Amino acid sequence: MRLSKMYFRTLREVPNEAEIPSHIWLLRAGMIRKLVSGVYGFMPLGFRSVRKIEEIVRQEMDKKGSQEIHMSAIQPAELWKESGRWFAYGPEMWRLKDRNEREFCLGPTHEEIFTDIVRSEVSSYRQLPLNLYQIQTKYRDEARPRFGLMRSREFVMKDAYSFDRDREGLDKSYNVMYDAYEKIFTRCDLKFRAVEADTGAIGGNASHEFTALSEVGESEVAYCEKCELAATTERAACVDSICHEEELPLEIVLTPGTKTIADVSEYLNLREEQTIKALLFVTYDEKGEFAEYVAAFVRGDRELNMTKLVNALSIPEHAIEFADEVSMSAKTGCVGGFTGPIGLHDCKIVVDSELTKLKNLCAGACKVDHHILNVNYGRDYKGDIVTDIKLIKAGDPCPVCGTPVKIARGIEVGQVFKLGTKYSESMGAYYKDENMEDQLIVMGCYGIGITRTLAAIVEQHHDENGIIWPMSVAPYHVIVTVVKTSDEEQMKVAEKIYNELIDAGVEALIDDRDERAGVKFKDADILGIPLRITVGKKASEGIVEYKMRRDTEKIEMSVNEAIENAINVVKAEIN
Ligand code: ATP
Ligand code: MG
């Protein structure tokens, strides 16, 4: 492709909306353009890279015997009502009606649709196992679309679904997909970790997230350097600390104006670990109407883990929000800043399991400017639910081996789930076994964010001058830069290199624009083409300059050597 003819425009300035490197560079390289918040279009160079990622995904999925199909992005509400997710999915789902008032959504994911297809067409055990996938546009009306392709409202996903006769079959299918994912992300040149994850709105009973390591990522991973523990912080179990002190008598104390844990611990000269923190919520039912008040209690220095809390309550995340303390107070006796488990009524009390193992804690007294000392679980209060609802933090003991855990940030590029029979049960997907008896199909599902992967690659592969594409996903492999296009000799040599590279199957660009050399070099750096061959003054002697985008070194070599090296490096790195 000739840059003089190519539809592209690099930007000199950092666009206002962009905060993180991948967003900045994809915009500056002219690879993507924003339409509205969270909705992006792909320009020629960007679209080539998207297609390369898709192709890697296709190849690895096909190798595992998964078969590609393509389902509609528009999905009828009935199927989601059957599975129970028309409500559970909440406001992220993009809902619409046709002219006859029939309800639809733009698919945020496709479990229901694939289950529906398979239940109507699979009848015998002989047709199983089966694995189907598609690469398709998904829609999620995200509360906070941001970071460009990272969290967008329209994005490309590869989603695959496996259908097996039993759990053993599912375990195998899951491992096969896990293996494919490792190959895919390795070919995309990502540094990643596969970590245990929560199953969220998708449901099911086991899951792994594939997380590309990056400081700008929204996923937090807890991992242990001694053992194999690696889990999202949403998921990671926490170890409860234990105290064996004698239980002391309750004592109510005056603590004027001490509304926070920090205030009260300072005022009473306690450690934050010796206090109880209250978090107050209201939940809603399927119609969006008030369901109940919830008070959650964790040790004063702990953070509440919302994922664990909604799992404990068996409600979707969008059905809970922080309570308005004034209205809650009238009904339940809570007092803003002074709420404790003693004296609360008419609300569900969820207690972190750790609190049941500690002694003589300080809690709010449900009375303005008062706290209670020596509060003990069992003797003084009880929970309607007692379970682990706390967030793991760096330095906490590893739940497997006790070593202090570390926390890393990352970008979730893929996730695999063992769904089990969640969808086949609710939607009636059966097969007949050898004895002609009906059995539920056992399912798994496997997603990769194609466009988010593109952003994650840029996040890991850039410098202060632009993108540095790995060969496997670069929009083009080589750029031949002509220093002075009015120089016939230079143009002749450049055209020769360009044509020979193309003949050898290398994807080449030629920068034949009538621009200053400095502009061309800058653009080549922003675009991040892995190899640049510069044709300048020494063209008449048959000498050109050879430079990998990732290196600072420029090497002079003969035209033929440059061509040969280029072909070899592309072949070696394309994987
Ligand atoms: P997240 O926790 O980041 O919201 P998710 O767990 O809801 O993601 P899945 O339902 O597992 O996502 O979707 C599969 C994959 O699709 C994710 O691993 C991610 O790579 C991608 N993805 C999900 N939401 C978005 C989005 N808003 N923009 C871009 N890619 C997304
Ligand atoms: Mg996920």
Side-chain angles (χ1 to χ4, degrees):
M1 183 73 209
R2 292 171 184 281
L3 256 62
S4 59
K5 302 257 159 38
M6 192 167 78
Y7 180 61
F8 88 114
R9 188 167 70 93
T10 53
L11 308 178
R12 292 282 166 260
E13 305 282 320
V14 177
N16 283 339
E17 52 171 310
E19 298 163 62
I20 62 166
S22 59
H23 193 190
I24 292 172
W25 290 117
L26 285 168
L27 283 169
R28 285 197 57 189
M31 298 186 84
I32 61 169
R33 288 291 179 249
K34 180 170 121 175
L35 187 61
V36 290
S37 163
V39 181
Y40 288 81
F42 293 89
M43 300 301 106
L45 289 167
F47 195 49
R48 283 180 74 97
S49 286
V50 171
R51 288 199 342 242
K52 293 216 169 159
I53 298 171
E54 290 181 358
E55 208 39 47
I56 290 174
V57 169
R58 267 198 188 95
Q59 287 171 7
E60 297 303 329
M61 292 301 291
D62 291 350
K63 270 188 215 160
K64 299 294 187 193
S66 186
Q67 299 171 62
E68 185 170 8
I69 63 173
H70 196 84
M71 301 304 294
S72 161
I74 289 203
Q75 308 182 2
E78 289 83 30
L79 291 178
W80 288 79
K81 287 180 179 164
E82 266 190 68
S83 74
R85 288 208 298 176
W86 187 249
F87 165 69
Y89 220 95
E92 246 181 47
M93 185 187 268
W94 225 309
R95 294 159 209 255
L96 59 156
K97 284 184 182 162
D98 71 7
R99 62 178 74 202
N100 300 316
E101 292 290 302
R102 191 173 161 197
E103 290 177 302
F104 291 85
C105 70
L106 296 176
T109 175
H110 273 70
E111 282 75 18
E112 282 77 0
I113 310 306
F114 277 65
T115 308
D116 178 54
I117 281 284
V118 165
R119 74 176 165 184
S120 58
E121 278 163 17
V122 167
S123 50
S124 158
Y125 68 93
R126 290 196 193 84
Q127 293 163 282
L128 300 176
L130 179 64
N131 187 319
L132 301 172
Y133 78 97
Q134 63 175 350
I135 295 177
Q136 201 234 20
T137 307
K138 298 279 189 269
Y139 297 87
R140 293 184 186 178
D141 193 3
E142 296 274 357
R144 277 176 299 279
R146 59 186 196 142
F147 295 166
L149 302 182
M150 211 66 96
R151 183 165 299 284
S152 45
R153 299 197 292 168
E154 178 186 87
F155 58 96
V156 181
M157 196 204 285
K158 184 284 301 180
D159 46 329
Y161 305 86
S162 66
F163 303 88
D164 276 280
R165 297 170 61 176
D166 48 31
R167 297 259 158 198
E168 247 175 32
L170 168 61
D171 289 347
K172 259 193 217 147
S173 300
Y174 187 86
N175 291 341
V176 165
M177 286 292 104
Y178 188 105
D179 186 52
Y181 275 38
E182 289 195 317
K183 297 207 160 69
I184 288 165
F185 296 124
T186 303
R187 286 182 65 184
C188 291
D189 213 351
L190 282 174
K191 287 187 206 73
F192 66 94
R193 257 176 207 277
V195 306
E196 256 189 63
D198 186 69
T199 48
I202 299 270
N205 31 37
S207 176
H208 285 86
E209 230 178 71
F210 286 76
T211 306
L213 301 176
S214 161
E215 275 310 307
V216 304
E218 293 181 293
S219 279
E220 259 189 356
V221 172
Y223 66 98
C224 174
E225 284 177 329
K226 277 264 173 64
C227 75
E228 282 170 5
L229 170 89
T232 61
T233 50
E234 288 177 344
R235 168 79 178 183
C238 295
V239 180
D240 292 339
S241 44
I242 299 175
C243 163
H244 295 292
E245 276 172 29
E246 282 263 310
E247 292 188 358
L248 301 173
L250 286 179
E251 190 184 332
I252 188 155
V253 288
L254 189 65
T255 54
T258 58
K259 286 201 159 194
T260 66
I261 292 291
D263 291 346
V264 74
S265 2
E266 199 192 323
Y267 188 83
L268 294 174
N269 199 16
L270 295 170
R271 283 176 290 117
E272 293 194 359
E273 295 97 286
Q274 294 171 293
T275 66
I276 296 180
K277 175 150 71 186
L279 295 114
L280 307 174
F281 299 96
V282 56
T283 68
Y284 301 97
D285 65 12
E286 304 215 349
K287 294 196 189 103
E289 282 162 18
F290 173 84
E292 62 182 351
Y293 285 117
V294 173
F297 295 98
V298 293
R299 201 176 73 181
D301 61 313
R302 297 279 194 189
E303 292 294 326
L304 176 73
N305 183 327
M306 269 317 274
T307 304
K308 289 180 183 174
L309 179 65
V310 297
N311 287 346
L313 293 167
S314 299
I315 55 169
E317 220 163 314
H318 65 85
I320 184 166
E321 63 182 25
F322 280 110
D324 164 41
E325 279 179 4
V326 177
S327 6
M328 181 163 174
S329 175
K331 295 248 176 61
T332 67
C334 72
V335 175
F338 299 92
T339 302
I342 304 175
L344 270 187
H345 52 86
D346 295 302
C347 80
K348 185 169 273 170
I349 294 183
V350 188
V351 176
D352 183 52
S353 49
E354 185 171 54
L355 295 181
T356 66
K357 299 169 189 164
L358 298 173
K359 299 284 179 210
N360 305 325
L361 301 173
C362 167
C366 289
K367 187 173 168 195
V368 178
D369 289 344
H370 285 79
H371 278 81
I372 306 183
L373 298 177
N374 305 324
V375 173
N376 289 298
Y377 187 83
R379 185 190 71 178
D380 306 320
Y381 72 101
K382 287 215 168 75
D384 298 303
I385 301 175
V386 177
T387 187
D388 173 15
I389 52 167
K390 57 197 163 301
L391 193 67
I392 199 164
K393 59 180 190 310
D396 280 352
C398 165
V400 181
C401 74
T403 310
V405 299
K406 302 217 154 158
I407 305 277
R409 294 197 77 81
I411 300 161
E412 179 200 323
V413 283
Q415 189 165 9
V416 292
F417 297 86
K418 285 186 191 175
L419 296 173
T421 54
K422 178 179 153 101
Y423 294 90
S424 39
E425 234 175 288
S426 55
M427 298 182 66
Y430 296 94
Y431 69 93
K432 288 212 184 305
D433 66 13
E434 288 94 331
N435 305 317
M436 290 304 283
E437 274 173 32
D438 278 339
Q439 303 288 351
L440 285 168
I441 298 176
V442 182
M443 289 174 56
C445 76
Y446 316 92
I448 290 183
I450 301 282
T451 41
R452 186 185 281 183
T453 297
L454 183 79
I457 294 170
V458 178
E459 222 40 73
Q460 289 189 1
H461 297 272
H462 69 270
D463 64 11
E464 66 283 3
N465 299 316
I467 304 171
I468 309 174
W469 288 112
M471 200 65 84
S472 58
V473 296
Y476 287 89
H477 304 136
V478 179
I479 181 163
V480 181
T481 303
V482 194
V483 171
K484 201 167 162 197
T485 38
S486 57
D487 182 316
E488 269 178 35
E489 195 64 36
Q490 286 187 24
M491 273 311 287
K492 213 170 105 197
V493 171
E495 294 281 356
K496 173 186 155 75
I497 299 172
Y498 174 64
N499 287 317
E500 287 193 22
L501 288 177
I502 287 175
D503 289 345
V506 170
E507 297 170 12
L509 286 173
I510 181 166
D511 194 348
D512 57 345
R513 292 175 299 167
D514 183 17
E515 287 280 2
R516 283 181 297 114
V519 171
K520 295 183 183 180
F521 293 146
K522 243 197 160 98
D523 279 348
D525 278 355
I526 294 177
L527 298 184
I529 308 301
L531 172 62
R532 187 179 83 204
I533 297 175
T534 307
V535 182
K537 274 197 192 124
K538 291 193 181 169
S540 54
E541 302 161 41
I543 303 285
V544 294
E545 193 185 87
Y546 181 99
K547 181 181 177 297
M548 295 299 290
R549 172 68 180 85
R550 61 174 175 255
D551 298 334
T552 44
E553 197 187 7
K554 300 169 192 157
I555 312 166
E556 286 196 344
M557 57 178 78
S558 73
V559 169
N560 287 338
E561 242 182 312
I563 294 171
E564 200 182 309
N565 281 343
I567 294 170
N568 288 338
V569 78
V570 170
K571 273 205 188 120
E573 291 186 17
I574 205 160
N575 68 40

